[in-house]
Each structure stands twice: as C-alpha cells, then as structure tokens.
C-alpha cells in the first residue's frame, strides 16, 4: 500500500470517527498511552481522533504528521521516531516519484530530530547526513551543527557552519539560522553581523534586538547592549526583560527604581517573572528578600533561575 498525499476529507472522516467513538468510547491504545503519560484532555482527544482516522485511512501523510506532532508535544520522542520510520518503510516499498523523494527527506529529518531530542546525537547525525547527501539544506545543517556541538565536536561543527554560510540565502529565517549557529560556536561578533542583517529586514523584531543586546553583553560591551535595550523599549516601553537587563548593567539609581513594583505586578499573571525579581533584589542588595525569592524559584523546577541573557555576568547562584 502506498502513502496517501491527499488532504483527507475531515468532515467525512470525523463523522466516521464519531460513529466509532459511539460504539467504542475510548480507543484502548490511546487510553493506555494516556495512563502512561500525564496528557491533558485536549492532547488526549486530539490523539484519540488521529488514531481513529488512521484506522480509516492508515497511510495518510497529513494525519501521520499530526500524530508525530502530538507525540513530540507530549515528549514521546521514541513513538514519533517509530511513526517516521514506518512511513520511510512505506516509501521504500514502491517506485519513487519526486514527491516521495521530498517526503523521504522530510521524514529522515524528523527521525534525526527525534533522536536529537532523545539526546542520541550520534544517531541523529546519521539521519541528517542522509538528507544532506541529496543537497545542502540550511535547516538540516543547523540540526547537524546542534548535535555536533552537543558531542563536543566543535571542529566538525565549524566545518558544517562554513557550508551553511556558503548557502546563498538572505531571507530573514536563513539569516537568523546563520547567526544562531555562529553564536553556538561562540563567534559572537560574526553572529551579531548576521543578526544585524536580519534586523535590516525586520527593524522592529524584539527577539532579534534581544539577541544582539545579549551578545554585546557576552562581549562585555555594556553600552552597546544598553543601546539595543533602549531600541526595544522605544518599540515596547513595558517590556520587562529589556527593562531588567538594562537596570542590571546601567548606572541607574538602584534605590529609587520602580522596576520591582512593575515586576510584582507582572508576577500576578506570569510566575516566570520570579526570576527577574530575584535578580533585581540581588542587584539592589536586598539579600534577605533575594534568598526567599531564590528558594521559591528552586521549589518549582519549571522555573530556571539562570535562564537569563546576562546570567554569566551576575554572580548570583554560586
């Protein structure tokens, strides 16, 4: 049986799936998976319907891709990998078309990404290399560089980075990928140059402005960093990340700053701002409150107390 490329008629398929749901309230495979994992109700319902649709049309690419996406969302990287491998075995079992060839590249990359997420970096590179044999691909090269860096193969990572930079791509996404790869190789000045090229395409991109400011921090170029934080605050005056970053490296009056009050207001809706509060308290030398705040962060493993652009510059967590 070959792969189906057509987008399924979801109205009819969902009607059939609904009939199946009435006869069999819960698909036992999904129920078993839900018991093994802490799935949300939405994730559970989405995966249940995907399974039922695949019973009706078992080799539809769009539905299989949806299944892989759900597996990745809930951290089931091995199951995502197995589904991708199954599709690859389908493709290999019948004559190739150009569409099959593209699909094979897609799912080889998915297999590589799954292995990378499982921290099986050497195996991930094998899949990325299969794709790269068919032509240089900027996104797959980025994936490969990530895995090489994790394996501490920086020489190989630099070689792959050279290939990536040789690709004649000047769109926003490609420029950002090039900048990110140079940043991971600690080539900060070169990385800034590519981020600036990206910024020329989208001058008010807050994320790019943060990246440039953060790299200037790495280079201990505080005034340049402040200049980019000011650019962010001109676009978005209430941006707490930029306000906090600038506060910690500038000569502002620590005692009279109203930043702590702003952060406390933000904390009512978003717990992640506890990290910002912790850093500001330390900077203001309010060490007792800082200690309480740090303990509160460390209780919740989802909040990373060192996930901040300038974490290497603030001796807080030693």
């Amino acid at each position: 049986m070959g792969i189906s490329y057509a987008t399924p008629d979801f109205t009819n398929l969902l009607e059939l799936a609904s009939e199946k749901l009435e006869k069999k309230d819960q698909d036992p495979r999904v129920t078993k998976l839900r018991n093994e994992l802490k799935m949300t109700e939405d994730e559970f319902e989405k995966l249940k319907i995907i399974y039922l649709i695949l019973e009706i049309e078992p080799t539809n690419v769009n539905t299989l891709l949806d299944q892989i996406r759900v597996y990745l969302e809930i951290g089931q990287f091995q199951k995502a990998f197995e589904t991708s491998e199954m599709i690859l075995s389908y493709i290999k079992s019948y004559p190739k078309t150009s569409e099959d060839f593209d699909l094979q590249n897609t799912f080889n990359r998915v297999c590589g990404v799954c292995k990378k997420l499982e921290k099986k970096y050497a195996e991930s590179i094998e899949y990325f290399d299969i794709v790269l044999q068919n032509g240089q691909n900027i996104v797959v090269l980025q994936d490969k560089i990530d895995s090489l860096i994790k394996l501490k193969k920086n020489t190989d990572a630099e070689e792959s980075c050279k290939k990536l930079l040789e690709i004649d791509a000047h769109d926003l996404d490609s420029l950002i990928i090039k900048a990110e790869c140079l940043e991971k190789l600690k080539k900060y000045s070169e990385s800034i140059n590519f981020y600036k090229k990206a910024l020329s395409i989208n001058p008010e991109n807050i994320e790019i402005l943060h990246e440039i400011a953060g790299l200037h921090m790495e280079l201990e170029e505080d005034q340049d960093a402040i200049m980019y934080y000011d650019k962010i605050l001109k676009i978005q005056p209430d941006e707490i990340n930029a306000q906090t970053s600038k506060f910690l490296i500038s000569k502002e009056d620590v005692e009279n700053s109203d930043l702590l009050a702003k952060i406390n207001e933000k904390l009512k809706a978003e717990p992640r701002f506890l990290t910002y509060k912790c850093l500001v308290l330390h900077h203001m030398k309010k060490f007792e409150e800082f200690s309480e705040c740090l303990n509160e962060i460390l209780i919740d493993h989802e909040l990373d107390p060192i996930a901040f652009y300038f974490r290497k510059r603030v001796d807080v967590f030693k």
Side-chain angles (χ1 to χ4, degrees), residues 84-315:
S84 299
E85 279 279 275
M86 177 190 73
I87 294 169
L88 286 170
S89 68
Y90 280 148
I91 298 169
K92 291 171 186 175
S93 67
Y94 58 89
K96 304 291 184 295
T97 66
S98 60
E99 206 165 22
D100 298 332
F101 183 76
D102 291 339
L103 197 65
Q104 195 166 354
N105 280 339
T106 296
F107 284 101
N108 273 314
R109 186 199 168 216
V110 172
C111 286
V113 169
C114 292
K115 288 299 177 187
K116 187 172 73 167
L117 290 168
E118 289 184 296
K119 299 184 179 180
K120 296 178 179 178
Y121 301 115
E123 291 179 48
S124 76
I125 290 169
E126 291 176 13
Y127 283 98
F128 298 142
D129 280 340
I130 292 171
V131 180
L132 292 171
Q133 285 171 8
N134 301 317
Q136 299 298 350
N137 180 303
I138 197 165
V139 177
V140 180
L141 274 168
Q142 183 188 35
D143 289 329
K144 182 179 178 180
I145 290 165
D146 288 345
S147 291
L148 287 168
I149 290 171
K150 292 292 186 183
L151 292 170
K152 301 187 186 306
K153 294 186 175 182
N154 284 358
T155 303
D156 292 338
E158 287 190 18
E159 284 301 312
S160 291
C161 191
K162 285 178 187 175
K163 292 177 183 176
L164 185 147
L165 295 175
E166 287 168 2
I167 296 174
D168 186 23
H170 303 285
D171 59 283
L172 183 67
D173 290 341
S174 298
L175 289 168
I176 290 173
I177 287 172
K178 290 176 180 182
E180 287 173 348
C181 287
L182 287 163
E183 182 180 350
K184 287 169 186 170
L185 291 167
K186 301 188 185 303
K187 296 179 182 288
Y188 300 134
S189 295
E190 294 173 58
S191 177
I192 286 171
N193 289 335
F194 277 98
Y195 277 125
K196 284 182 177 178
K197 289 178 182 179
L199 198 62
S200 69
I201 297 172
N202 188 350
E204 296 193 351
N205 187 304
I206 299 291
E207 290 182 11
I208 296 173
L209 287 165
H210 265 301
E211 290 295 340
I212 296 173
L215 289 169
H216 280 302
M217 290 290 299
E218 293 286 356
L219 293 167
E220 300 188 7
E221 297 169 348
D222 291 354
Q223 289 309 308
D224 289 322
I226 289 170
M227 180 178 71
Y228 279 94
Y229 288 130
D230 282 339
K231 287 178 185 286
I232 293 168
L233 294 171
K234 188 175 180 180
I235 299 164
Q236 199 171 321
D238 295 330
E239 219 271 3
I240 290 291
N241 191 341
Q243 287 184 38
T244 306
S245 302
K246 183 183 174 184
F247 174 74
L248 292 175
I249 60 174
S250 66
K251 305 297 182 184
E252 291 181 15
D253 186 345
V254 171
E255 290 299 323
N256 295 324
S257 173
D258 61 351
L259 179 59
L260 199 56
K262 292 178 182 177
I263 292 173
N264 283 331
E265 187 63 31
K266 289 281 186 183
L267 267 171
K268 294 175 183 178
E270 297 184 65
R272 68 186 179 88
F273 284 105
L274 203 56
T275 300
Y276 296 61
K277 181 178 179 178
C278 192
L279 289 164
V280 170
L281 286 168
H282 183 273
H283 191 63
M284 297 176 77
K285 302 188 186 308
K286 296 187 175 185
F287 296 121
E288 188 174 338
E289 292 176 62
F290 160 76
S291 181
E292 292 173 3
C293 186
L294 180 60
N295 288 334
E296 192 175 343
I297 289 174
L298 295 174
I299 289 169
D300 188 344
H301 297 294
E302 291 181 3
L303 292 169
D304 181 359
I306 60 170
F308 213 66
Y309 283 107
F310 43 86
R311 59 190 176 275
K312 294 178 183 176
R313 298 288 306 283
V314 184
D315 187 16

Side-chain angles (χ1 to χ4, degrees), residues 52-67:
L52 291 168
I53 291 173
L54 286 173
E55 279 188 9
I56 302 161
E57 196 172 349
T59 56
N60 186 280
V61 169
N62 295 291
T63 310
L64 287 164
L65 276 169
D66 283 338
Q67 185 181 44

Side-chain angles (χ1 to χ4, degrees), residues 16-81:
L16 287 168
S18 297
E19 290 175 14
K20 280 179 168 288
L21 280 169
E22 288 173 8
K23 295 176 184 175
K24 179 175 58 177
D25 186 42
Q26 293 184 342
D27 188 305
R29 294 164 299 176
V30 186
T31 306
K32 181 175 182 290
L33 185 61
R34 188 188 188 189
N35 291 336
E36 292 170 1
L37 304 164
K38 293 180 179 178
M39 294 175 68
T40 66
E41 191 65 32
D42 285 346
E43 289 168 345
F44 176 61
E45 289 302 318
K46 192 187 300 182
L47 196 56
K48 181 165 64 176
I49 289 173
I50 287 170
Y51 268 126
L52 291 168
I53 291 173
L54 286 173
E55 279 188 9
I56 302 161
E57 196 172 349
T59 56
N60 186 280
V61 169
N62 295 291
T63 310
L64 287 164
L65 276 169
D66 283 338
Q67 185 181 44
I68 290 168
R69 287 189 193 101
V70 174
Y71 281 147
L72 292 174
E73 284 171 13
I74 62 177
Q76 284 295 292
F77 308 134
Q78 182 59 30
K79 290 185 181 296
F81 172 78

